Coordinates of all heavy atoms in Angstrom, one line a residue:
K701 N 122.5 -13.6 30.8 CA 122.4 -12.2 30.4 C 122.3 -11.3 31.6 O 122.9 -10.2 31.6 CB 121.1 -12.0 29.5 CG 121.2 -12.4 28.1 CD 120.0 -12.1 27.3 CE 120.1 -12.4 25.9 NZ 118.9 -12.0 25.2
E702 N 121.5 -11.7 32.6 CA 121.5 -10.8 33.8 C 122.8 -10.7 34.6 O 123.3 -9.7 35.0 CB 120.4 -11.4 34.8 CG 120.2 -10.6 36.0 CD 119.7 -9.2 35.6 OE1 118.9 -9.0 34.8 OE2 120.0 -8.2 36.4
A703 N 123.6 -11.8 34.6 CA 124.9 -11.9 35.2 C 125.8 -11.0 34.4 O 126.6 -10.2 34.9 CB 125.4 -13.3 35.3
N704 N 125.7 -11.0 33.0 CA 126.6 -10.2 32.2 C 126.2 -8.7 32.5 O 127.2 -7.9 32.6 CB 126.3 -10.5 30.8 CG 127.3 -9.8 29.8 OD1 128.5 -9.7 30.2 ND2 126.9 -9.4 28.6
R705 N 125.0 -8.3 32.5 CA 124.6 -6.9 32.9 C 125.1 -6.5 34.2 O 125.7 -5.4 34.2 CB 123.1 -6.8 32.8 CG 122.5 -6.6 31.4 CD 121.1 -6.2 31.5 NE 120.3 -7.1 30.6 CZ 119.5 -8.0 31.0 NH1 119.0 -8.1 32.2 NH2 118.9 -8.8 30.1
S706 N 125.1 -7.4 35.1 CA 125.6 -7.1 36.5 C 127.1 -6.9 36.4 O 127.6 -6.0 37.1 CB 125.2 -8.2 37.4 OG 125.9 -8.0 38.8
L707 N 127.8 -7.8 35.7 CA 129.2 -7.5 35.6 C 129.6 -6.3 34.8 O 130.7 -5.6 35.1 CB 129.8 -8.8 35.0 CG 129.8 -10.1 35.8 CD1 130.2 -11.3 34.9 CD2 130.7 -10.0 37.0
L708 N 128.9 -5.9 33.9 CA 129.2 -4.7 33.1 C 129.0 -3.4 34.0 O 129.8 -2.6 34.0 CB 128.3 -4.6 32.0 CG 128.6 -5.5 30.7 CD1 127.5 -5.4 29.6 CD2 129.9 -5.2 30.1
V709 N 128.0 -3.5 34.9 CA 127.7 -2.3 35.8 C 128.9 -2.3 36.8 O 129.4 -1.3 37.1 CB 126.4 -2.5 36.5 CG1 126.3 -1.6 37.7 CG2 125.3 -2.3 35.5
E710 N 129.2 -3.5 37.2 CA 130.4 -3.5 38.3 C 131.7 -3.0 37.6 O 132.4 -2.3 38.2 CB 130.5 -4.9 38.8 CG 131.6 -5.1 39.8 CD 131.7 -6.5 40.4 OE1 131.0 -7.4 40.0 OE2 132.7 -6.7 41.2
S711 N 132.0 -3.4 36.4 CA 133.2 -3.0 35.7 C 133.1 -1.5 35.6 O 134.2 -0.8 35.7 CB 133.2 -3.7 34.3 OG 134.2 -3.2 33.6
A712 N 132.0 -0.9 35.1 CA 132.0 0.5 35.0 C 132.1 1.2 36.2 O 132.8 2.3 36.3 CB 130.6 0.8 34.3
T713 N 131.6 0.6 37.3 CA 131.7 1.3 38.7 C 133.2 1.3 39.0 O 133.8 2.3 39.6 CB 130.9 0.6 39.7 OG1 129.6 0.5 39.2 CG2 131.0 1.1 41.0
L714 N 133.9 0.1 38.7 CA 135.3 0.0 39.2 C 136.2 0.9 38.3 O 137.2 1.3 38.8 CB 135.8 -1.4 39.1 CG 135.1 -2.4 40.1 CD1 135.6 -3.8 39.8 CD2 135.5 -2.1 41.5
K715 N 135.8 1.1 37.2 CA 136.6 2.0 36.2 C 136.3 3.4 36.4 O 137.0 4.3 35.6 CB 136.4 1.5 34.8 CG 137.1 0.2 34.5 CD 136.8 -0.1 33.0 CE 137.2 -1.5 32.6 NZ 137.0 -1.8 31.3
S716 N 135.4 3.9 37.1 CA 134.9 5.3 37.2 C 136.0 6.2 37.6 O 136.8 5.9 38.5 CB 133.7 5.4 38.0 OG 134.0 5.4 39.4
P717 N 136.1 7.4 37.0 CA 137.1 8.3 37.4 C 137.0 8.8 38.9 O 138.0 9.0 39.6 CB 136.8 9.6 36.4 CG 136.1 9.0 35.3 CD 135.3 7.8 35.9
Q718 N 135.8 8.9 39.4 CA 135.6 9.2 40.8 C 136.3 8.2 41.7 O 137.0 8.5 42.8 CB 134.1 9.4 41.1 CG 133.5 10.5 40.4 CD 132.9 10.1 39.1 OE1 133.0 9.0 38.6 NE2 132.4 11.1 38.4
R719 N 136.1 6.9 41.4 CA 136.6 5.9 42.2 C 138.2 6.0 42.1 O 138.9 5.8 43.1 CB 136.1 4.5 41.7 CG 136.6 3.4 42.6 CD 136.0 2.1 42.2 NE 136.5 1.0 43.0 CZ 137.6 0.3 42.7 NH1 138.3 0.7 41.7 NH2 138.1 -0.6 43.5
M720 N 138.7 6.1 40.9 CA 140.1 6.1 40.7 C 140.7 7.4 41.6 O 141.8 7.2 42.2 CB 140.4 6.4 39.2 CG 140.0 5.1 38.4 SD 141.1 3.7 38.8 CE 140.6 2.7 37.5
A721 N 140.0 8.5 41.6 CA 140.5 9.6 42.3 C 140.5 9.3 43.7 O 141.4 9.8 44.4 CB 139.6 10.9 42.0
Q722 N 139.4 8.7 44.2 CA 139.4 8.4 45.6 C 140.6 7.4 46.0 O 141.1 7.5 47.2 CB 138.0 7.7 45.9 CG 137.8 7.4 47.4 CD 136.5 6.7 47.6 OE1 135.8 6.2 46.6 NE2 136.0 6.5 48.8
I723 N 140.8 6.4 45.2 CA 141.8 5.4 45.5 C 143.2 6.1 45.5 O 144.1 5.9 46.4 CB 141.8 4.2 44.5 CG1 140.6 3.4 44.8 CG2 143.1 3.4 44.7 CD1 140.3 2.3 43.8
A724 N 143.4 7.0 44.5 CA 144.7 7.6 44.5 C 144.9 8.6 45.7 O 145.9 8.7 46.2 CB 144.7 8.6 43.2
K725 N 143.8 9.2 46.2 CA 143.9 10.1 47.3 C 144.2 9.2 48.5 O 145.0 9.6 49.3 CB 142.5 10.8 47.5 CG 142.5 11.8 48.6 CD 141.2 12.5 48.6 CE 141.2 13.6 49.6 NZ 139.9 14.3 49.8
Q726 N 143.6 8.0 48.6 CA 143.9 7.1 49.8 C 145.4 6.7 49.7 O 146.0 6.4 50.9 CB 142.9 5.9 49.7 CG 141.6 6.2 50.1 CD 140.7 4.9 49.9 OE1 141.1 3.9 49.4 NE2 139.4 5.1 50.3
M727 N 146.0 6.5 48.5 CA 147.3 6.2 48.4 C 148.3 7.2 48.6 O 149.5 7.2 48.5 CB 147.5 5.4 47.0 CG 146.8 4.1 47.0 SD 146.9 3.5 45.3 CE 148.6 2.8 45.3
G728 N 147.8 8.5 48.7 CA 148.7 9.6 48.9 C 149.1 10.3 47.7 O 150.0 11.1 47.6

């Protein structure tokens, strides 16, 4: 259960719009 919670948080972090915008900016 703890590993699942951790993975859900990591998934939400990776999918966040701020992160996507930052990666898009790095790619030009």
